[in-house]
Amino acid sequence: MTYVVTDACIKCKYTDCVEVCPVDCFYEGENMLVINPSECIDCGVCEPECPAEAILPDTESGLEQWLELNTKYSAEWPNITSRKDPLDGADDHKDEEGKFDKYFSAEPGEGD
């Protein structure tokens, strides 16, 4: 098992999860974070820290696409290990549906 970041993170990019991760397995895109599944130690401390509830265990059904996306972009985006402010308007987008099709960006973030 590993944890994955889902589309609930898009346009929010809260980084509370990054701060508690003991193995620094988060990577930053332009408008979301991902977890490197091979680095994640399945400790679960990040899941309750996410205000958008975007982090889920990959054992939940229907998360295969998110495991693939997290794997792909954690290899391309820079590592992030410290907390940053969320994106402008994050609270407005937190509960929005269908964010992947509307807003996903493959562009990397800044990282640390």
Side-chain angles (χ1 to χ4, degrees):
M1 181 184 86
T2 188
Y3 284 84
V4 294
V5 180
T6 64
D7 65 338
C9 184
I10 298 172
K11 294 286 275 185
C12 295
K13 201 163 73 169
Y14 297 103
T15 55
D16 306 64
C17 53
V18 170
E19 197 167 53
V20 298
C21 180
V23 294
D24 300 333
C25 66
F26 282 89
Y27 292 81
E28 183 181 15
E30 180 180 30
N31 66 3
M32 77 175 291
L33 303 174
V34 293
I35 292 172
N36 182 322
S38 63
E39 294 174 356
C40 177
I41 60 170
D42 313 327
C43 67
V45 297
C46 59
E47 185 180 19
E49 296 299 319
C50 181
E53 299 180 2
I55 301 171
L56 300 172
D58 74 338
T59 53
E60 289 190 20
S61 64
L63 295 181
E64 296 81 14
Q65 71 183 40
W66 296 109
L67 181 58
E68 289 176 24
L69 184 133
N70 279 248
T71 301
K72 175 179 172 46
Y73 289 104
S74 64
E76 298 176 14
W77 292 347
N79 189 239
I80 179 172
T81 60
S82 56
R83 190 177 186 284
K84 297 181 180 180
D85 290 335
L87 295 176
D88 288 340
D91 291 339
D92 297 330
H93 290 284
K94 187 167 71 169
D95 298 318
E96 187 175 342
E97 296 290 323
K99 293 196 289 184
F100 184 82
D101 292 332
K102 291 185 216 174
Y103 308 119
F104 176 75
S105 170
E107 294 299 313
E110 295 176 10
D112 286 341

